[in-house]
Amino acid sequence: MSKRYPGAEAFAVEELDFEVPAGEICVLVGPSGCGKTTALRMVNRTVEMTSGDISIGGNSIREGDPAQLRREIGYVIQQIGLFPHRTIAENIGTVPTLLNWEKDRVRARSAELLELIGLDPEYGDRYPSQLSGGQQQRVGVARALAADPPVMLMDEPFGAIDPINRSRLQNEFLRLQAELRKTVLFVTHDVDEAIKMGDRVAVLKKGGRLAQFASPTGLLMEPADDFVEDFVGADRALKRLALMRVRDVDLWTAPLAQAGDPCEPVRTAVAAAEVPHALLVDNESRPLGWLSRRDLAGESVPENADSTADPLIDADSVLRDGLATLLQSGSLYAPVVDPRGRLTGVLSVEIVSDFLSSREASESELSAAERPHD
Amino acid sequence: MTEFLAVTAAVDESFFTDRSGGGCIQENRLFCPDWVTDNYDRYLDPTLEHLILVGSAVAAGFLIAFALAVFAHRHRWLQTPFLAGTGILYTIPSISFFFLLLPLTGRGAMTAIIALTAFNLQIIFRNITTGLRNVPPDVTEAARGIGLTRSQVLRQVELPLALPEIIAGLRIATVSTVALATLAVFANGGGLGAEIVTGSNITFKTGIIVAGSIAVLMAILFDAVLLLARKALTPWQRAAP
Amino acid sequence: MNLPAASFGLFGEAFEFVFSGREAETGGVTVGGTSQVLDLAARQLEVTLLALAVAVLLALPAGLLLGHYGRGEFLAVSAGNAGRAIPELALIALMAAAVGVGMFNLVVALAILGIPPILTNTFVGIRQVDRSSVEAARGMGMTERKIITRVELPLAVPTIMGGVRTAAINIIATATIAPLAGILTLGDFIIARNVYGDAGVLAGAVLVALMALALEAALAGAQWAMTSRGMKLKRS
Ligand SMILES: Nc1ncnc2c1ncn2[C@@H]1O[C@H](COP(=O)(O)OP(=O)(O)OP(=O)(O)O)[C@@H](O)[C@H]1O
Ligand SMILES: [Mg+2]
C-alpha cells in the first residue's frame, strides 16, 4: 500500500508490500521519518491509505467501520497516550468497556493484566501521573492487550525508557508473546531491538520503501544492499551473537570430580581434556569450584576447591551476554548451567570466535531464528 | 438629572423611616448597622431576582457557548468567526445591549438575561475551545487508535480533560455577571441594582453598601462553589505525581 | 433632515433623535441632535481615556516590577479576580454618594475598575516570558531596567494588551452610567428616559455600542502594531 499526506510532494510510504504470518512478531525498522508510524497507522485506519490494500486474516480492512476495526487491533502508540483522567484500571479496561463487557468482567480483566505486566494490584487505583515512565509504557501495552485482540500494533513501545528497564520490558514482552502468540507489528528505529524482538524484520528506507524483509539472521548475514548494511552497522557480526543462546552452541566439557573421589584418574583426565582444569561438582552436578593442581596433588579430591566456580553462565542467555560475562570476569572458561543449576558444559572465548567464523554455525543460526522465542 | 430616578422603582413609603429611631439614616452616614437589622427582609426578593438573572444568563451562555465550541471543534475554520462574533457581543456594554433589545423584547428580566448571556458567551466559548485544544494529541490519538468513535473521544476524553479550563471560564463568567447584573435595574430587570438605585434616591449610602456587599458575597459564593465542583470533578488532578 | 421616521419604527425615531433632535418627553425643548450627541460622546470618550490612562500608569509599572522580580503573585493574580467581582453600579453610586460627584472622583472610580485586569495580565505576561531569554539578556550585560523594557515588555505585549482591552471595555461600559456621578455622557440618553423617550434610549444604546466597538477595534489595532514581527510569525 502507499500513503501520500495531503499537500506533500513525496510519498510517506510507497508501495510497501509484505506479509506477516499469524502469531509472529514483525518489526518495522528504519531511520527517523522513514514512514514507520505512517505504515503502522494505516493498518488500523487512523491514517487512510492513498492506494493499495491491507488484509488481516484474509479480510480487507477497508470494509466496515474503522472504530470497530480498531477495537479488534491492539494499539500501543509511540507517546504512550494514557488517559490522565482515568485510573490505571480504567485505562486498561477502556476497550472491554467499549465492547460492553460486564463491569465485573472488566475489573477482573484489568486485575489480570496488571499482574501479567508485573504491577501490584494497588496500582489499579492510581492515576497515570503517579507512575514512572516505564510503568506507564507497560500499562500502555496492557491497555492494548485488554480485549485480547489477535493483532497488535506497537509503535516504539519501549522508546521512552532507560536501556536497563528497556531490556527488561523487552524480555517480559517476549515471555508474554511466547504465551499469547499475537500477530504483532512492532516499530522501532533501533536495529538491536529489531533483531532481538523480531521473527521477521522489515527494513524501511526514506519514503517508506521496503529495503529488505528477512529474518534477523538473514538481515545480518546477507544485507540486501548498502543501505541495509550501513543501517545494520559494522558490528553486525557481533549482533549475531544476540541471536544465539548459549545452550545452542557446542560447549566444551571439563573433567568432573566429586569430593572424596581419588585424584589420580582426574589428573589423567585433565591432561587429555579440552578444558585443562577439573570442576568440583556436587552429586547433583552443580559446579562448586575449579580444582587447582594443588587440590589434585593429594590422595582424594578435597571438600573445597581452591577457586570458586564463578561466573556461572545461564544456558538460556544469549551468546553475546555469555561472552560479556566471560570477558568481564577475566577468566578463560565459565561453567554453563541450566535453570536448576546443573552443569551443561563450559563456555570459552574460543568457542565464540570459532562460532563467528564457521559456516555451519550460520546455518544453525538460521534454523534457530525460525524457532519461536521463549 | 434627578427626575429620571423616579421611574426606576416605585417609591417606598417606609424608606426613610429609621425604625430604630436613631439619626443615622436622616444624616445619611456612611453605614448604619441598624438599617441592616431592621430591613434585611427587603433584600430577600432582590437577592433572589439577582440569583435568577445570573443563573439563567450563565446557564444560557454555557449551553450556547458549549454548542458553538463543540461544533467549531469539529470544523476548525469556524473558530475564528465564532470568536469574533462572540467578541462583538462581549464588547457591547450590557447597559447598551439592554436597550438595543428594546424594540424586540421591551423591558424586563428577559431582556436583561439576554444581554448578560451575550456578554458571557465569549468568555465561556474561549475557555472551552482552549480546553479542548490543550488536550494532549497523544491522548486523543491513543483514544482513536484503540477504537473510540469521534463522539466517544469527545465525551470520554476531550471534555473531561478540558473540564478545568471550562470551569475556569464559568468562574470568570459568573463572577462578572453577578457584578454586571446590578445594571439590570435600568432595564426594569430587578435584582440588587434596584436596591442601589433605590426609590427616588441614589445617595443612600447604607443601601448602596448593603446591596453592593450582597453582590460581592454572591460572586464569592458562586466562585467557591465552582471551585469545589472542579475539585470534585477532577480527582486526577489531586493525585500527587 | 426629513426621513420617513415611522417606517423604521423605533429605529427611525432614534435615527431622527441623533441627527435632527426630537421634542423632549417633558415637552417644550428639543433634545438630541448632532451637537448634543457629539458633546456627550466626546465627554464619554474623554472620561474613558483619562481613566484608562490612569489605570495603565498605575498598574503597568506595578505589574512589570512584580512580574520581573516574581514577587506578589498572590496579590497580582487575586487582583484580577477581585476586580471582576466589583459591582460597577455600586461603585459609581457609592463614589457619588460618599465622596461626591465630579470629574475627578469619576475618573478615580473608573480607574479602579481598570487597574485589576491590567495588573494581573502584566504580571502574568511577564512571568510567561521564557526565563532563558531573560538569562541570555542578563548574560549579555543588560541592566535590569533594559531587560524589562527591551526583552520582557515586548514579549509580554499581547498579554498586557489583553488586559488593557478588558479594562477599556469595562471602563467605557461603566462610563455610560457616569451621569449618576454628575458627568453627562451618552448614557444620559439611556438613563434619563423620562426626558429623551424611548427614541433617545435606543439612540444612546446604539451610540454606546458603536463607541465601545470602535475603541476595542482601535486597541486591537494598537496591539497589532506593537507586537514584534517575530511574535506575529510564531503565532500564525
Ligand atoms: N499528519 C501528517 N501530515 C503530513 N505529513 C506527515 C504526517 N505525519 C507524518 N508525516 C510525514 O511523513 C513522513 C513519515 O512520518 P512517520 O511519522 O511515519 O515517520 P517515522 O518513521 O514513524 O519516524 P519516527 O521514527 O521519528 O517516529 C515524515 O516525512 C513526516 O514528516
Ligand atoms: Mg514514528
Side-chain angles (χ1 to χ4, degrees), chain C residues 45-99:
Chain C
L45 194 62
E46 182 191 350
V47 199
T48 301
L49 293 182
L50 265 176
L52 189 61
V54 172
V56 168
L57 283 177
L58 291 175
L60 187 68
L64 286 178
L65 288 174
L66 290 177
H68 179 74
Y69 293 107
R71 299 270 167 75
E73 169 157 9
F74 180 76
L75 175 94
V77 173
S78 7
N81 292 329
R84 273 192 288 274
I86 300 175
E88 294 82 349
L89 179 61
L91 177 72
I92 297 296
L94 192 65
M95 183 65 93
V99 188

Side-chain angles (χ1 to χ4, degrees), chain C residues 84-143:
Chain C
R84 273 192 288 274
I86 300 175
E88 294 82 349
L89 179 61
L91 177 72
I92 297 296
L94 192 65
M95 183 65 93
V99 188
V101 296
M103 191 69 170
F104 180 82
N105 291 344
L106 176 68
V107 168
V108 169
L110 293 179
I112 289 175
L113 288 176
I115 287 171
I118 301 175
L119 180 65
T120 302
N121 277 39
T122 306
F123 179 87
V124 171
I126 297 290
R127 293 313 295 168
Q128 273 171 354
V129 171
D130 187 4
R131 287 294 109 186
S132 61
S133 304
V134 175
E135 282 313 311
R138 207 167 273 144
M140 288 185 294
M142 279 197 196
T143 61

